[in-house]
Amino acid sequence: MTSTRINPETLYPSVQYGFSHATLDEGTGTVHLSGQVAWDKDYNVVGAGDVGMQARQALANIKAVLDSLGIGPAQVLRLRTFIVNYDVSMLAAIGPELGAFYGEALPAANTVVGVQSLAMPEFLIEIEAIATVR
């Protein structure tokens, strides 16, 4: 099995933290994206304290990985969304961001998981994805 690590220059450098933004399985055409958070290219947290704005940035980061492969949200097979101190009311802020991310494409499967914390205390949401290049 041959795989390619994906680290777009438009995103924050991640290798120094021990991970790539994604891995493409060349044999199956499956792309496994690392969980994306609200960091911009310069490690600034976008939307401090605002789960909706953080979701927007995490999804923009996912889109940057997809763009680097020449694919888009329609090729997403699955999302997993981790939310700190989850409460169902948070979906009112996150849902529209997911809708904007997908645009005209039908949404993929998604699992929402409430968690106590994420890698940094400022992060309120982390979204990981699986996509296909075929």
Side-chain angles (χ1 to χ4, degrees):
M1 174 174 95
T2 303
S3 63
T4 302
R5 304 305 189 242
I6 311 298
N7 290 295
E9 291 186 11
T10 57
L11 293 179
Y12 60 89
S14 63
V15 173
Q16 66 193 23
Y17 296 106
F19 69 95
S20 289
H21 284 285
T23 300
L24 169 62
D25 178 334
E26 302 282 352
T28 65
T30 304
V31 184
H32 298 268
L33 286 79
S34 293
Q36 291 296 325
V37 294
W39 262 351
D40 68 11
K41 185 179 184 341
D42 299 315
Y43 305 104
N44 296 307
V45 175
V46 175
D50 184 327
V51 72
M53 288 191 65
Q54 287 200 19
R56 180 182 304 165
Q57 182 63 41
L59 292 164
N61 291 349
I62 289 171
K63 197 172 263 189
V65 174
L66 300 175
D67 287 348
S68 76
L69 294 165
I71 61 175
Q75 283 71 46
V76 172
L77 302 172
R78 170 183 246 322
L79 295 179
R80 284 186 188 88
T81 304
F82 302 93
I83 304 168
V84 174
N85 299 322
Y86 174 74
D87 179 277
V88 71
S89 67
M90 295 170 151
L91 294 179
I94 297 166
E97 300 304 334
L98 287 165
F101 169 75
Y102 282 111
E104 297 297 316
L106 284 175
N110 186 5
T111 299
V112 173
V113 181
V115 296
Q116 182 177 351
S117 63
L118 294 168
M120 303 279 290
E122 298 85 5
F123 298 151
L124 302 177
I125 189 167
E126 182 168 337
I127 306 171
E128 63 181 40
I130 298 171
T132 183
V133 295
R134 295 189 177 154

